[in-house]
Amino acid sequence: MVADGAQRNERPGATVPVTGAGSARAVDALRSRATRFRFAARREGAARAAVHYARVYAPGRAPRRLHSPRLDHDVLHRPGSSDAEVFFQICIEDEYAPVHPLPGSAPVIIDCGANVGYSSAYFLSRYPGARVIAVEPDDANVDLLRRNLRPYGDRAEVIMGAVWSHRTRLVCERDPGPRADWAITVREADADERDGPQAFDAVDVAELVERTGAERIDLLKMDIEGAEAVVFGAGDVHRWLDRVDAVAVELHDDTHFGDARGAFLAACGDDFDLVPSGELLIGTRKGIDRG
Protein backbone atom coordinates (compact mmCIF):
# COMPACT_ATOMS: atom_id res chain seq x y z
CA MET A 1 0.00 0.00 0.00
CA VAL A 2 1.21 3.53 -0.69
CA ALA A 3 2.30 4.97 2.62
CA ASP A 4 2.06 8.65 3.45
CA GLY A 5 5.44 10.40 3.36
CA ALA A 6 6.56 11.68 6.73
CA GLN A 7 7.92 14.87 5.17
CA ARG A 8 6.33 17.14 2.58
CA ASN A 9 8.72 18.80 0.16
CA GLU A 10 6.87 21.71 -1.49
CA ARG A 11 9.80 23.54 -3.01
CA PRO A 12 10.34 23.68 -6.78
CA GLY A 13 13.42 22.22 -8.40
CA ALA A 14 16.62 24.15 -7.85
CA THR A 15 17.66 26.80 -10.36
CA VAL A 16 21.18 26.19 -11.61
CA PRO A 17 23.38 28.94 -13.10
CA VAL A 18 24.16 28.32 -16.75
CA THR A 19 27.94 28.24 -16.65
CA GLY A 20 30.65 25.86 -17.76
CA ALA A 21 29.53 22.29 -18.40
CA GLY A 22 26.04 23.18 -17.19
CA SER A 23 25.51 25.43 -20.21
CA ALA A 24 25.43 22.47 -22.61
CA ARG A 25 22.87 20.71 -20.45
CA ALA A 26 20.79 23.88 -20.27
CA VAL A 27 20.84 24.23 -24.05
CA ASP A 28 19.77 20.59 -24.39
CA ALA A 29 16.91 21.18 -21.96
CA LEU A 30 15.72 24.29 -23.82
CA ARG A 31 15.91 22.45 -27.15
CA SER A 32 13.91 19.60 -25.66
CA ARG A 33 11.26 21.99 -24.36
CA ALA A 34 10.99 23.71 -27.74
CA THR A 35 10.51 20.35 -29.44
CA ARG A 36 7.80 19.38 -26.97
CA PHE A 37 6.03 22.70 -27.46
CA ARG A 38 5.93 22.15 -31.22
CA PHE A 39 4.60 18.64 -30.66
CA ALA A 40 1.88 19.93 -28.30
CA ALA A 41 1.00 22.76 -30.69
CA ARG A 42 0.39 20.29 -33.51
CA ARG A 43 -1.70 18.17 -31.19
CA GLU A 44 -3.70 20.84 -29.31
CA GLY A 45 -3.32 24.05 -31.30
CA ALA A 46 -0.82 26.80 -30.57
CA ALA A 47 -3.01 28.81 -28.18
CA ARG A 48 -3.90 25.89 -25.88
CA ALA A 49 -0.36 24.56 -26.03
CA ALA A 50 1.06 27.95 -25.02
CA VAL A 51 -1.24 28.18 -21.98
CA HIS A 52 -0.46 24.62 -20.94
CA TYR A 53 3.27 25.09 -21.53
CA ALA A 54 3.39 28.28 -19.44
CA ARG A 55 1.53 26.52 -16.62
CA VAL A 56 3.93 23.60 -16.63
CA TYR A 57 7.21 25.51 -16.77
CA ALA A 58 6.42 28.68 -14.83
CA PRO A 59 8.24 28.62 -11.47
CA GLY A 60 6.17 28.40 -8.31
CA ARG A 61 6.30 27.21 -4.73
CA ALA A 62 3.91 24.30 -4.44
CA PRO A 63 3.42 21.30 -6.74
CA ARG A 64 0.67 21.78 -9.30
CA ARG A 65 -1.71 19.33 -10.90
CA LEU A 66 -1.41 18.03 -14.44
CA HIS A 67 -4.16 16.21 -16.30
CA SER A 68 -3.82 13.60 -19.01
CA PRO A 69 -6.57 11.50 -20.60
CA ARG A 70 -4.13 8.60 -20.33
CA LEU A 71 -4.23 8.73 -16.52
CA ASP A 72 -7.16 7.85 -14.27
CA HIS A 73 -6.13 10.56 -11.80
CA ASP A 74 -4.38 13.92 -12.07
CA VAL A 75 -0.72 13.99 -11.04
CA LEU A 76 1.41 16.58 -9.30
CA HIS A 77 4.54 18.19 -10.74
CA ARG A 78 7.05 20.69 -9.36
CA PRO A 79 7.10 23.82 -11.54
CA GLY A 80 10.56 24.68 -12.79
CA SER A 81 11.84 21.12 -12.29
CA SER A 82 12.42 18.31 -14.76
CA ASP A 83 9.06 16.71 -13.90
CA ALA A 84 7.43 18.27 -16.95
CA GLU A 85 9.92 16.60 -19.30
CA VAL A 86 9.02 13.20 -17.89
CA PHE A 87 5.30 13.97 -18.09
CA PHE A 88 5.57 14.95 -21.76
CA GLN A 89 7.43 11.77 -22.64
CA ILE A 90 4.96 9.47 -20.91
CA CYS A 91 1.60 11.19 -21.17
CA ILE A 92 1.83 13.20 -24.39
CA GLU A 93 4.40 11.42 -26.57
CA ASP A 94 3.14 8.09 -25.16
CA GLU A 95 6.51 6.37 -25.24
CA TYR A 96 5.11 3.22 -23.62
CA ALA A 97 2.46 2.72 -26.32
CA PRO A 98 4.34 -0.21 -27.95
CA VAL A 99 4.07 -2.26 -24.75
CA HIS A 100 1.80 -5.15 -25.74
CA PRO A 101 -1.42 -5.95 -23.86
CA LEU A 102 -0.56 -7.69 -20.62
CA PRO A 103 -2.30 -11.03 -19.96
CA GLY A 104 -4.66 -11.85 -17.13
CA SER A 105 -6.79 -9.65 -14.93
CA ALA A 106 -4.01 -8.58 -12.53
CA PRO A 107 -0.67 -8.15 -14.33
CA VAL A 108 2.40 -7.58 -12.17
CA ILE A 109 4.67 -4.64 -13.02
CA ILE A 110 7.97 -3.54 -11.46
CA ASP A 111 8.93 0.10 -12.06
CA CYS A 112 12.62 0.68 -11.35
CA GLY A 113 13.53 4.35 -11.34
CA ALA A 114 9.94 5.43 -10.83
CA ASN A 115 10.84 9.13 -10.39
CA VAL A 116 7.63 10.91 -9.27
CA GLY A 117 5.27 8.19 -10.47
CA TYR A 118 4.10 9.12 -13.96
CA SER A 119 5.07 5.80 -15.51
CA SER A 120 3.52 3.84 -12.62
CA ALA A 121 0.31 5.89 -12.88
CA TYR A 122 0.28 5.27 -16.64
CA PHE A 123 0.54 1.50 -16.16
CA LEU A 124 -2.06 1.44 -13.38
CA SER A 125 -4.45 3.39 -15.61
CA ARG A 126 -3.79 1.43 -18.80
CA TYR A 127 -4.11 -1.95 -17.04
CA PRO A 128 -6.97 -1.52 -14.52
CA GLY A 129 -6.19 -4.67 -12.54
CA ALA A 130 -2.42 -4.24 -12.47
CA ARG A 131 -0.23 -4.22 -9.37
CA VAL A 132 2.89 -2.06 -9.43
CA ILE A 133 5.99 -2.01 -7.25
CA ALA A 134 7.64 1.40 -7.76
CA VAL A 135 11.28 1.83 -6.70
CA GLU A 136 12.96 5.25 -6.44
CA PRO A 137 16.07 6.32 -4.48
CA ASP A 138 15.61 10.09 -4.08
CA ASP A 139 13.66 11.22 -1.02
CA ALA A 140 12.13 14.31 -2.65
CA ASN A 141 11.00 12.28 -5.65
CA VAL A 142 9.62 9.56 -3.37
CA ASP A 143 7.50 12.11 -1.53
CA LEU A 144 5.75 13.14 -4.76
CA LEU A 145 5.71 9.53 -5.99
CA ARG A 146 3.67 8.50 -2.95
CA ARG A 147 1.26 11.39 -3.42
CA ASN A 148 0.76 10.64 -7.11
CA LEU A 149 0.09 6.93 -6.53
CA ARG A 150 -2.10 7.29 -3.45
CA PRO A 151 -5.37 7.34 -5.50
CA TYR A 152 -4.57 3.81 -6.73
CA GLY A 153 -4.66 2.41 -3.21
CA ASP A 154 -3.07 -0.96 -2.48
CA ARG A 155 -2.49 -1.65 -6.18
CA ALA A 156 0.70 0.40 -5.81
CA GLU A 157 3.62 -0.17 -3.45
CA VAL A 158 6.42 2.36 -3.14
CA ILE A 159 9.93 1.34 -2.11
CA MET A 160 12.53 3.99 -1.39
CA GLY A 161 15.73 2.46 -2.71
CA ALA A 162 17.67 1.65 -5.86
CA VAL A 163 18.07 -1.57 -7.80
CA TRP A 164 21.49 -3.14 -8.17
CA SER A 165 22.94 -6.48 -9.20
CA HIS A 166 23.56 -7.64 -5.63
CA ARG A 167 23.16 -6.66 -1.98
CA THR A 168 25.45 -3.77 -1.10
CA ARG A 169 25.36 -0.20 0.19
CA LEU A 170 24.67 2.68 -2.22
CA VAL A 171 24.71 6.48 -2.21
CA CYS A 172 22.91 8.93 -4.51
CA GLU A 173 24.56 11.47 -6.75
CA ARG A 174 22.53 14.28 -8.35
CA ASP A 175 23.30 15.74 -11.77
CA PRO A 176 24.01 19.46 -11.18
CA GLY A 177 22.29 20.44 -14.45
CA PRO A 178 18.74 21.57 -15.24
CA ARG A 179 17.40 18.01 -15.14
CA ALA A 180 18.56 17.42 -11.58
CA ASP A 181 15.34 15.77 -10.44
CA TRP A 182 15.46 13.43 -13.42
CA ALA A 183 19.13 12.43 -13.62
CA ILE A 184 19.77 11.00 -10.16
CA THR A 185 22.34 8.24 -10.17
CA VAL A 186 23.58 5.82 -7.55
CA ARG A 187 26.93 4.20 -6.92
CA GLU A 188 28.38 1.77 -4.45
CA ALA A 189 29.34 3.49 -1.23
CA ASP A 190 33.02 3.84 -0.44
CA ALA A 191 34.31 2.14 2.68
CA ASP A 192 34.08 5.36 4.71
CA GLU A 193 30.52 6.02 3.49
CA ARG A 194 28.91 2.65 4.08
CA ASP A 195 27.72 3.45 7.61
CA GLY A 196 27.07 7.12 6.94
CA PRO A 197 23.66 8.84 6.88
CA GLN A 198 23.56 9.08 3.08
CA ALA A 199 24.09 5.35 2.44
CA PHE A 200 21.25 2.86 2.01
CA ASP A 201 20.78 -0.79 1.12
CA ALA A 202 20.62 -1.76 -2.54
CA VAL A 203 17.55 -3.64 -3.79
CA ASP A 204 18.30 -6.82 -5.68
CA VAL A 205 15.92 -7.27 -8.65
CA ALA A 206 15.52 -10.93 -7.71
CA GLU A 207 14.22 -9.80 -4.31
CA LEU A 208 11.65 -7.56 -6.00
CA VAL A 209 10.48 -10.47 -8.13
CA GLU A 210 10.04 -12.62 -5.02
CA ARG A 211 8.31 -9.76 -3.21
CA THR A 212 5.48 -9.74 -5.79
CA GLY A 213 4.55 -13.33 -4.91
CA ALA A 214 3.95 -13.98 -8.63
CA GLU A 215 5.47 -16.70 -10.77
CA ARG A 216 5.94 -14.29 -13.68
CA ILE A 217 6.58 -10.54 -13.97
CA ASP A 218 4.46 -9.20 -16.81
CA LEU A 219 6.47 -6.01 -17.27
CA LEU A 220 9.78 -4.71 -15.95
CA LYS A 221 10.31 -1.00 -16.57
CA MET A 222 13.79 0.35 -15.88
CA ASP A 223 15.15 3.89 -16.11
CA ILE A 224 18.05 4.03 -13.69
CA GLU A 225 20.50 6.44 -15.31
CA GLY A 226 23.18 4.01 -16.42
CA ALA A 227 23.06 1.49 -13.59
CA GLU A 228 21.26 -0.86 -15.99
CA ALA A 229 24.77 -1.73 -17.19
CA VAL A 230 25.43 -3.18 -13.73
CA VAL A 231 22.04 -4.89 -13.38
CA PHE A 232 21.94 -6.55 -16.81
CA GLY A 233 25.70 -7.17 -16.86
CA ALA A 234 25.64 -9.38 -13.76
CA GLY A 235 26.63 -12.99 -14.32
CA ASP A 236 23.49 -14.30 -12.60
CA VAL A 237 21.04 -11.97 -14.38
CA HIS A 238 18.97 -14.86 -15.73
CA ARG A 239 17.99 -16.05 -12.24
CA TRP A 240 15.34 -13.29 -12.34
CA LEU A 241 15.24 -12.23 -16.00
CA ASP A 242 13.92 -15.65 -17.04
CA ARG A 243 10.75 -14.83 -15.06
CA VAL A 244 10.13 -11.53 -16.91
CA ASP A 245 7.84 -11.48 -19.96
CA ALA A 246 8.27 -7.86 -21.13
CA VAL A 247 10.80 -5.09 -20.59
CA ALA A 248 10.80 -1.35 -21.17
CA VAL A 249 14.28 0.09 -20.59
CA GLU A 250 15.92 3.45 -21.19
CA LEU A 251 19.60 2.84 -21.90
CA HIS A 252 22.27 5.36 -20.92
CA ASP A 253 25.63 4.77 -22.60
CA ASP A 254 27.17 8.12 -21.57
CA THR A 255 27.72 7.35 -17.88
CA HIS A 256 30.60 6.01 -15.83
CA PHE A 257 28.81 2.64 -15.65
CA GLY A 258 29.95 1.77 -19.17
CA ASP A 259 28.25 -0.01 -22.05
CA ALA A 260 24.62 -0.26 -20.94
CA ARG A 261 23.34 -1.16 -24.40
CA GLY A 262 25.83 -3.98 -24.77
CA ALA A 263 24.98 -5.41 -21.35
CA PHE A 264 21.24 -5.21 -22.06
CA LEU A 265 21.45 -6.78 -25.52
CA ALA A 266 23.71 -9.57 -24.26
CA ALA A 267 21.13 -10.42 -21.59
CA CYS A 268 17.92 -9.89 -23.58
CA GLY A 269 18.72 -9.84 -27.28
CA ASP A 270 18.16 -13.55 -27.94
CA ASP A 271 14.99 -13.90 -25.86
CA PHE A 272 13.01 -10.72 -26.57
CA ASP A 273 11.61 -9.05 -29.68
CA LEU A 274 12.85 -5.47 -29.28
CA VAL A 275 11.41 -2.26 -30.73
CA PRO A 276 12.57 1.34 -30.08
CA SER A 277 10.14 3.95 -28.81
CA GLY A 278 11.53 7.42 -28.17
CA GLU A 279 14.37 6.92 -25.69
CA LEU A 280 13.18 3.42 -24.76
CA LEU A 281 13.80 -0.11 -25.94
CA ILE A 282 10.68 -2.19 -25.43
CA GLY A 283 10.89 -5.96 -25.56
CA THR A 284 8.37 -8.79 -25.52
CA ARG A 285 9.56 -12.29 -24.70
CA LYS A 286 9.54 -14.46 -27.80
CA GLY A 287 6.80 -17.05 -27.87
CA ILE A 288 4.48 -15.08 -25.54
CA ASP A 289 0.97 -14.69 -26.98
CA ARG A 290 -0.21 -11.18 -26.04
CA GLY A 291 -3.26 -11.05 -28.31
Side-chain angles (χ1 to χ4, degrees), residues 53-103:
Y53 198 81
R55 178 171 176 259
V56 167
Y57 286 110
R61 285 191 170 276
R64 300 176 184 175
R65 293 191 176 277
L66 292 174
H67 172 77
S68 169
R70 293 191 171 92
L71 304 181
D72 289 343
H73 304 278
D74 289 352
V75 290
L76 296 170
H77 86 290
R78 297 161 292 192
S81 75
S82 56
D83 294 348
E85 303 289 336
V86 183
F87 180 84
F88 270 102
Q89 280 189 339
I90 294 169
C91 297
I92 294 179
E93 295 177 340
D94 200 10
E95 280 195 335
Y96 291 100
V99 175
H100 287 245
L102 301 182

Side-chain angles (χ1 to χ4, degrees), residues 133-145:
I133 293 180
V135 185
E136 168 61 34
D138 181 72
D139 56 353
N141 286 351
V142 167
D143 180 68
L144 208 58
L145 170 64

Side-chain angles (χ1 to χ4, degrees), residues 10-255:
E10 301 288 338
R11 69 183 185 279
T15 301
V16 179
V18 181
T19 58
S23 62
R25 287 188 289 266
V27 169
D28 287 343
L30 290 173
R31 184 181 295 116
S32 174
R33 293 181 182 185
T35 299
R36 298 182 195 288
F37 175 78
R38 289 193 296 269
F39 182 92
R42 290 195 302 270
R43 189 181 184 93
E44 305 174 11
R48 289 187 63 189
V51 172
H52 179 72
Y53 198 81
R55 178 171 176 259
V56 167
Y57 286 110
R61 285 191 170 276
R64 300 176 184 175
R65 293 191 176 277
L66 292 174
H67 172 77
S68 169
R70 293 191 171 92
L71 304 181
D72 289 343
H73 304 278
D74 289 352
V75 290
L76 296 170
H77 86 290
R78 297 161 292 192
S81 75
S82 56
D83 294 348
E85 303 289 336
V86 183
F87 180 84
F88 270 102
Q89 280 189 339
I90 294 169
C91 297
I92 294 179
E93 295 177 340
D94 200 10
E95 280 195 335
Y96 291 100
V99 175
H100 287 245
L102 301 182
S105 59
V108 177
I109 299 168
I110 297 176
D111 186 348
C112 301
N115 195 256
V116 298
Y118 302 149
S119 53
S120 291
Y122 174 92
F123 297 135
L124 289 162
S125 301
R126 182 173 172 183
Y127 308 109
R131 295 185 294 123
V132 171
I133 293 180
V135 185
E136 168 61 34
D138 181 72
D139 56 353
N141 286 351
V142 167
D143 180 68
L144 208 58
L145 170 64
R146 288 193 173 109
R147 296 171 69 180
N148 282 332
L149 297 189
R150 189 177 300 135
Y152 299 93
D154 60 6
R155 295 174 56 209
E157 179 183 359
V158 173
I159 296 176
M160 184 172 173
V163 295
W164 204 250
S165 59
H166 57 277
R167 295 296 303 272
T168 186
R169 297 281 284 173
L170 303 174
V171 292
C172 283
E173 292 186 334
R174 187 183 294 271
D175 187 321
R179 300 186 181 190
D181 305 295
W182 190 347
I184 294 169
T185 63
V186 297
R187 61 172 174 81
E188 287 201 65
D190 295 332
D192 60 348
E193 298 175 309
R194 294 179 65 85
D195 296 324
Q198 303 303 317
F200 54 92
D201 289 330
V203 181
D204 186 340
V205 182
E207 294 176 13
L208 290 176
V209 172
E210 293 299 328
R211 188 184 185 100
T212 67
E215 288 296 320
R216 309 290 303 174
I217 303 303
D218 295 287
L219 175 64
L220 171 70
K221 172 259 177 179
M222 189 174 292
D223 183 359
I224 54 176
E225 303 301 328
E228 65 273 11
V230 177
V231 173
F232 286 104
D236 61 350
V237 62
H238 285 281
R239 70 189 171 105
W240 58 263
L241 185 58
D242 288 349
R243 295 173 61 182
V244 175
D245 290 335
V247 293
V249 180
E250 182 171 333
L251 299 172
H252 307 80
D253 288 323
D254 57 348
T255 74

